[in-house]
Amino acid sequence: MGQLLYQLLQAGSLSKPQFFKGFSETLELADDMAIDIPHIWLYLAELVSPVLREGGISMRELFSEFSKPLLPVGRAGILFSEILHLLCKHMSHRKVGALWRDSELSWVNFLPDMEDVPRFITEQKLDFNLSDCSSLGCLNDMYVILEDTF
């Protein structure tokens, strides 16, 4: 289904505004649907990850638009984490991390105000998007930088 969405976008049969409007309506209800559909964030990520992977929409644009209905309920980080992990299955962690960094995105913008960003990154295993290295030493250095920032 995600590949179909990408092809519809590429062919011009589905415009970006239509794509975002359709998902916005779903995302507004997703937190309530999570009660009956526990893996809804993974399922939504499966729908949009091909669009990102194939370059149909930039990560910055997609995450910025998707965060609008998700920030009020504090679920943007969970969906974006699922999307990034799915992308890692088709691309390397290094490439996905580079996409994140090139998009100039920050977890601070997608998590509730009281959320501990370094803890979220650790729990969701998202350290690959902090820097271009994979060692624990490098990861610890990045947390020190993050803690100094906040």
Side-chain angles (χ1 to χ4, degrees):
M1 183 59 105
Q3 191 63 35
L4 174 62
L5 289 172
Y6 167 71
Q7 290 175 353
L8 290 171
L9 281 165
Q10 285 303 107
S13 300
L14 178 66
S15 68
K16 284 184 186 180
Q18 290 171 322
F19 175 85
F20 288 128
K21 184 179 185 318
F23 265 101
S24 177
E25 294 170 1
T26 302
L27 294 173
E28 288 173 6
L29 302 172
D31 195 41
D32 291 332
M33 290 189 286
I35 295 166
D36 298 318
I37 310 168
H39 299 290
I40 191 162
W41 305 113
L42 173 62
Y43 302 149
L44 290 169
E46 288 172 343
L47 290 174
V48 299
S49 64
V51 173
L52 274 177
R53 186 178 64 241
E54 303 295 335
I57 296 176
S58 74
M59 185 178 288
R60 181 175 189 76
E61 184 177 12
L62 184 94
F63 284 15
S64 295
E65 287 296 320
F66 276 26
S67 67
K68 291 174 185 175
L70 293 174
L71 284 174
V73 294
R75 295 293 187 228
I78 298 299
L79 176 59
F80 300 164
S81 172
E82 293 286 0
I83 292 170
L84 292 174
H85 284 294
L86 282 176
L87 287 175
C88 287
K89 291 182 178 182
H90 299 280
M91 307 162 77
S92 70
H93 282 82
R94 186 174 294 235
K95 283 185 181 178
V96 175
L99 274 174
W100 173 268
R101 290 186 302 278
D102 291 347
S103 298
E104 298 179 347
L105 297 171
S106 172
W107 286 109
V108 174
N109 298 324
F110 301 124
L111 298 176
D113 291 337
M114 303 305 280
E115 184 90 29
D116 181 355
V117 175
R119 189 169 136 235
F120 176 84
I121 290 169
T122 301
E123 288 175 355
Q124 297 296 317
K125 298 179 173 71
L126 295 165
D127 54 289
F128 60 88
N129 71 18
L130 294 178
S131 71
D132 194 23
C133 63
S134 58
S135 69
L136 278 177
C138 181
L139 180 59
N140 288 336
D141 291 346
M142 291 304 294
Y143 285 151
V144 169
I145 292 167
L146 281 173
E147 288 176 350
D148 290 345
T149 304
F150 302 110

